[in-house]
Amino acid sequence: MKMWKEFGNNELYLLLMVAAAYFVYFLLIRRPDRLAKQVRVLSLLWGIAVGILYDFTIGGGRTDFYKVNDLNNYEVTDILYYILFAPFGYFFFYLYEKLNIGKKTFIMYVLVWAFFGVYFQWVLTAADIITLQKGYKLMHSFPIFLLTQTLTGVYIQVLKSKESLTAAE
Amino acid sequence: MGFVLLVFLAWLVLVLFTTMNKKLTFIENTFVYLSAMVININYTWIVYEELNMADISQQILNNSAFLIHRSITLPITLAITLNLVRTGDSLASKFIIMTVSVAFLVSAVMIAGYFGIVDYKEWNIGYEIIYLLLLHLVVQFLLKYFGQLKTRGVNEA
């Protein structure tokens, strides 16, 4: 495990993205329509877990389809990359509730997020934060985002049937 | 054969989890699953890949069996265990439940070792037992904190 190969532009962009994402997150949780505490913590963990699951399944190990930051090894700066996923977990849960997504809007919501996921991955590759390798193309991420976002939406729907996402705190 | 056995174990814990009477809420079970998975993925990567203390088979079925155990069997087992721990009325019974859980996971690791799915170099089953015990305690602690978030919320309302 290394701290980082060299602290370059990719680490700087990553820091800026993390700062921007958490800035929006902290603005949103000050709103009265924020999610309940347990749902909030779960949505952050959900974001991190999804990022880590994919990175250590297809992004590393046997397939190794992409590298994060400068090395295929686990760098300390990679942790910044994983915590970047957390607020997006919150955004997905929050907007699902805020926009009152239901049967008629589910497909559109998931599709928009899947396209946004691919676009964001393009930004990450342009900033040299991730580098695709071994024949992996950006478009291959689309079905992955589609599946992940769909499962997340289905999960939220089941969760909503059991408890309120915006319970009074 | 190792692939078949580890997939069987994954199926077994999934069915047990689905059919059991759960004491944790839906959101708590999800929290246990996700936190156990995140910790375990980081642990296996750092100890096995970064510190080179063990080799993971690069043969496709064996590698898949490792991924299935890492991302499904272990966290679901933790979820089953922590549901059972909540039903245990004494500290001794809670400890026995955790011990059985660790023994089950160690047997899965021994199957992986026997069939060459994981090959320990500077790691051994003793370290694995310590890790699994600590993992149970850490996730239990995190769950306690997570459960308090709801209680606190109600009190503040």
Side-chain angles (χ1 to χ4, degrees), chain A residues 18 21-22 44 47-48 52 78-88:
Chain A
V18 169
Y22 277 88
L44 296 172
I48 290 180
I52 284 182
D78 290 357
I79 294 167
L80 281 176
Y81 172 75
Y82 299 123
I83 64 168
L84 177 61
F85 281 85
F88 286 97

Side-chain angles (χ1 to χ4, degrees), chain A residues 38 56-57 62 74 155, chain B residues 30 42 50 58 70 146 150:
Chain A
Q38 274 198 334
F56 291 90
T57 306
R62 191 178 184 279
Y74 202 154
Y155 175 81
Chain B
T30 316
N42 278 285
E50 294 293 335
Q58 293 302 299
R70 180 199 74 175
F146 185 70
K150 189 156 198 170

Side-chain angles (χ1 to χ4, degrees), chain B residues 18 24 29 42 52 61 100 105 110 116 118 127 143:
Chain B
T18 311
L24 303 181
N29 275 311
N42 278 285
N52 284 320
L61 281 182
V100 171
L105 289 170
M110 287 172 86
V118 174
Y127 296 153
L143 174 65

Side-chain angles (χ1 to χ4, degrees), chain B residues 48-49 52-58 116-121:
Chain B
Y48 294 9
E49 305 271 2
N52 284 320
M53 290 182 163
D55 278 335
I56 301 160
S57 171
Q58 293 302 299
I117 293 169
V118 174
D119 182 22
Y120 286 154
K121 293 194 293 191

Side-chain angles (χ1 to χ4, degrees), chain B residues 63-76:
Chain B
N63 197 270
S64 304
F66 167 77
L67 296 178
I68 288 168
H69 174 77
R70 180 199 74 175
S71 313
I72 299 173
T73 312
L74 186 139
I76 293 282

Side-chain angles (χ1 to χ4, degrees), chain B residues 91-106:
Chain B
L91 197 63
S93 63
K94 290 175 196 287
F95 183 73
I96 289 169
I97 292 164
M98 279 203 187
T99 308
V100 171
S101 173
V102 170
F104 171 78
L105 289 170
V106 166

Side-chain angles (χ1 to χ4, degrees), chain A residues 76-97:
Chain A
V76 172
T77 43
D78 290 357
I79 294 167
L80 281 176
Y81 172 75
Y82 299 123
I83 64 168
L84 177 61
F85 281 85
F88 286 97
Y90 183 81
F91 301 155
F92 190 97
F93 276 63
Y94 174 78
L95 289 173
Y96 194 98
E97 180 69 357

